[in-house]
Amino acid sequence: MARYFLARFGDRAVGAALILKTRAVNALTLPFAQVERGPVCDDLAEMPSVLEALHKQARRHGILRLSVMPYWAGEAKAQAEKILAQHGFAEAQSFGGRHARTLHLNLSSLRGDELFAGSALSQVRHEVRRAERAGATARRGQKRDLDAFREMHAQLLHLEGKRPPAAAWYEALGEYFLTREEQGTMFVCEYGEKIIAAIFVARHGTLATYVMGASLGLELRFPKMVLPLAKAIAWAKKNGIEAFDFGGIPLEGDMDVKRVNIAQFKRSFSRTEVNLVHEHVRWF
């Protein structure tokens, strides 16, 4: 179950959050809730009042446990975590939780005529050429490609023991990423006349962020995601975006093989790590 939270100060919106309530196996709603990447505030100084308002609304709706994860980095990360502690939230970050570390690529450092020139990106350059020699291609996604993504995504979730979202979720995904380029876009990789990978990239001002992706469970001679990511970076560079966020990488000490392998692939594009606010929990 999802609810939307909006905090106002007079006529001005100062904070927002998407609140997700946990369901048990028997579909009963538990008194637990989490805020995905939030609450969101334009100004960190607003967070104390936003947290108090969120706390009051959570109690009003019978929530006993609330998880939050404001998306702040750098110096603001330490300030945000201090505010959370002052308001009764304790760190609850786990290796398998939402990512608290990511990688950024400074797009201004890339050459317009050859994006992946130089020794730092030699592995990317090599894998792109290997994929192209094998006959793989990448392009912008279209609405008709959503069925292929849905199939790959459902297969991935099945391997993780999870249920795929409803059809309306995939329709909303397409509506957001395939209708307005200023919000983001989709890229797919084709090989042997079949889509073998697809990714979604969101645009937040001067930052482009890898949101999610899925691929077929095939063993190939090249990384299935390399061409879509390369195309996404070229798109971001062309549109004046300053940095590309590759999404989550594991925390120090996380030995999960799948997460470690994904991080190793992402590090071929960038080694600039960005630490984010960890997940914090408060019991009422």
Side-chain angles (χ1 to χ4, degrees), residues 213-236:
S215 62
L216 286 180
L218 301 173
E219 290 293 332
L220 299 175
R221 293 175 294 169
F222 57 88
K224 296 183 282 291
M225 291 290 191
V226 70
L227 289 184
L229 271 174
K231 284 287 187 181
I233 292 169
W235 166 82

Side-chain angles (χ1 to χ4, degrees), residues 124-173:
V124 174
R125 191 166 62 249
H126 171 74
E127 296 293 2
V128 165
R129 290 173 179 171
R130 186 161 64 159
E132 291 174 339
R133 285 196 299 267
T137 59
R139 59 171 174 81
R140 290 279 291 275
Q142 301 175 24
K143 191 172 182 179
R144 59 183 170 85
D145 300 321
L146 287 173
D147 287 341
F149 171 76
R150 181 177 180 178
E151 179 181 338
M152 293 185 294
H153 188 237
Q155 183 183 63
L156 175 65
L157 292 177
H158 176 73
L159 293 174
E160 296 176 351
K162 301 176 182 178
R163 293 182 179 180
W169 185 88
Y170 293 99
E171 293 173 4
L173 195 69

